[in-house]
Amino acid sequence: GLGGAQTELILKPFERRVLQGRMALSPTTLRHMEIFTTSTGDPQGSFFQAINRTQSSLGARLLRQWLCFPLLDPRDIQDRQDRVESWTRDTARLQNLRQVLRGMGDLERRLSKAGQPSCGGRDLLGVRDAARAALRSLELADLKTAGFEDLYALTDEIERTIVDDPPLQVRQGHLIRGGYSKE
């Protein structure tokens, strides 16, 4: 470890990504097309910077993935365009969704930090808030929330367990709500 501190690396299991129906653009192609940076290497002025209106890190990563691996099938392309158009027609609903997504933050990073020994109460409240925003965004988008019962249960458990304003470090104590457990 560094300086006597134990460092732990958490790796996700590999997942198979199928490029069927998608084009794989090489880094050279992305650079020449100025998708993520200009010819001088500056992100300002790139295509991504010009179109990125995402409200969360997850959304920005998804948009990057879409640009790196664009759809090939005209039906899939049309389906995506239709979904985008349906959101642009209902601006009030879109604004509500964007507001919720702003509150989500980076759920993936928060979840990965929750598995670290250094995780504290504020990190757990961040997971709770991000998960609630994610679930609310599914509801606003009229997407099925069935199968997310564990996530609803997790947010409720964090709410019942952790105090509203936890200390910065666990060792300071006063992290768990009074009456939650005798232990």
Side-chain angles (χ1 to χ4, degrees):
L2 300 172
Q6 180 183 5
T7 57
E8 184 178 319
L9 179 64
I10 294 181
L11 295 176
K12 289 182 178 179
F14 288 106
E15 63 182 53
R16 186 167 192 229
R17 294 197 177 176
V18 180
L19 289 177
Q20 186 176 10
R22 294 180 181 270
M23 180 189 312
L25 300 176
S26 72
T28 303
T29 302
L30 293 169
R31 189 172 54 253
H32 285 298
M33 293 178 67
E34 298 187 337
I35 301 296
F36 299 112
T37 61
T38 63
S39 59
T40 61
D42 187 5
Q44 287 292 90
S46 70
F47 179 69
F48 179 77
Q49 190 270 336
I51 67 166
N52 181 18
R53 299 296 177 264
T54 59
Q55 300 299 303
S56 70
S57 299
L58 289 169
R61 280 195 289 274
L62 179 62
L63 180 58
R64 281 182 162 279
Q65 186 177 29
W66 284 0
L67 293 174
C68 287
F69 304 102
L71 295 170
L72 291 172
D73 186 309
R75 289 176 300 210
D76 292 340
I77 295 168
Q78 186 63 54
D79 180 53
R80 185 177 287 170
Q81 288 175 341
D82 291 345
R83 284 184 282 147
V84 169
E85 184 180 7
S86 74
W87 282 102
T88 61
R89 286 185 186 160
D90 192 347
T91 55
R93 189 168 153 233
L94 176 61
Q95 289 306 318
N96 286 339
L97 179 62
R98 289 174 63 82
Q99 184 67 33
V100 169
L101 290 173
R102 261 183 229 118
M104 187 164 32
D106 195 337
L107 181 56
E108 282 182 340
R109 289 194 180 177
R110 287 180 174 165
L111 286 172
S112 69
K113 187 163 185 185
Q116 297 289 331
S118 61
C119 177
R122 293 174 192 232
D123 298 317
L124 293 173
L125 292 182
V127 167
R128 177 203 64 193
D129 295 342
R132 283 184 175 165
L135 292 166
R136 180 69 181 130
S137 69
L138 290 174
E139 293 166 2
L140 285 171
D142 293 328
L143 297 173
K144 295 178 183 176
T145 56
F148 289 97
E149 291 81 12
D150 289 345
L151 194 54
Y152 281 105
L154 174 66
T155 61
D156 291 344
E157 185 67 18
I158 293 170
E159 178 70 29
R160 285 192 308 274
T161 308
I162 306 299
V163 297
D164 292 331
D165 189 18
L168 290 173
Q169 296 183 0
V170 174
R171 66 179 166 216
Q172 291 175 297
H174 306 290
L175 175 68
I176 307 298
R177 289 186 184 276
Y180 175 75
S181 170
K182 292 178 186 178
E183 298 165 14

